[in-house]
Amino acid sequence: MAHQILVLNGPNLNLLGAREPEVYGSDTLDDIIANLTTVARGRNAEIRHVQSNHEGGLIDALHDARTWADAVIFNPGAFTHYSIALRDAVVATELPVVETHLSNVHAREAFRHHSVISAVCLGVVLGFGANSYLAALDALIRHLEA
Ligand code: DQA
């Protein structure tokens, strides 16, 4: 049975490629998901992708993941820094979740240095652009197979 992995992206990440490419790179979200899907297939994993600009949409996707997913790669966007509701939803999944960011948030504005999500995640990957998602996928598969 292939590992079932939810890739969940939060607000403004639908604009990747066009939004601040000097910070987030020139790959679109479709490019990133297509590449991740191909890599996952070679590793006995299947990806389902959800992007929402709404906190409630992300919470619903996390609740739904309880019924089918083995793990979650989660980029909560700016919600990372203040959404207690998303933190609680991560806990409620009872799944291994990797918080994932394209940018190195610690090298940016002070308000991005704190995450309310990290402490309830299995781990965090940040700063590698689109490759952050690949690193998160690799770490999760190794975790699931350990
Ligand atoms: C981000 C970092 C957040 O601070 C920011 O609000 C984003 C993207 C990243 O992937 O680097 O929307 O999560």
Side-chain angles (χ1 to χ4, degrees):
M1 199 30 200
H3 306 299
Q4 303 295 323
I5 299 181
L6 170 64
V7 181
L8 184 58
N9 279 294
N12 301 306
L13 293 164
N14 54 309
L15 297 180
L16 282 179
R19 170 197 182 206
E20 301 178 77
E22 66 287 356
V23 177
Y24 297 117
S26 55
D27 286 348
T28 66
L29 191 54
D30 283 350
D31 295 336
I32 291 172
I33 298 305
N35 187 30
L36 209 53
T37 301
T38 305
V39 172
R41 274 199 200 113
R43 298 282 302 274
N44 189 37
E46 281 174 17
I47 297 256
R48 281 195 221 173
H49 177 237
V50 175
Q51 189 275 330
S52 177
N53 291 321
H54 307 280
E55 193 176 29
L58 297 168
I59 293 169
D60 288 345
L62 287 166
H63 290 182
D64 186 53
R66 290 163 51 89
T67 67
W68 63 270
D70 299 312
V72 182
I73 295 171
F74 187 21
N75 184 345
F79 286 135
T80 305
H81 313 299
Y82 65 93
S83 176
I84 308 300
L86 280 177
R87 174 192 171 112
D88 289 350
V90 166
V91 174
T93 63
E94 298 179 11
L95 294 170
V97 177
V98 175
E99 181 186 324
T100 304
H101 301 283
L102 295 130
S103 65
N104 178 353
V105 288
H106 299 291
R108 301 180 62 197
E109 303 95 323
F111 62 81
R112 296 186 204 275
H113 295 180
H114 182 64
S115 166
V116 298
I117 312 282
S118 300
V120 294
C121 289
L122 177 67
V124 181
V125 178
L126 55 89
F128 298 99
N131 288 336
S132 290
Y133 290 88
L134 289 171
L137 178 69
D138 180 61
L140 271 179
I141 291 171
R142 287 171 190 271
H143 171 80
L144 292 171
E145 293 182 350

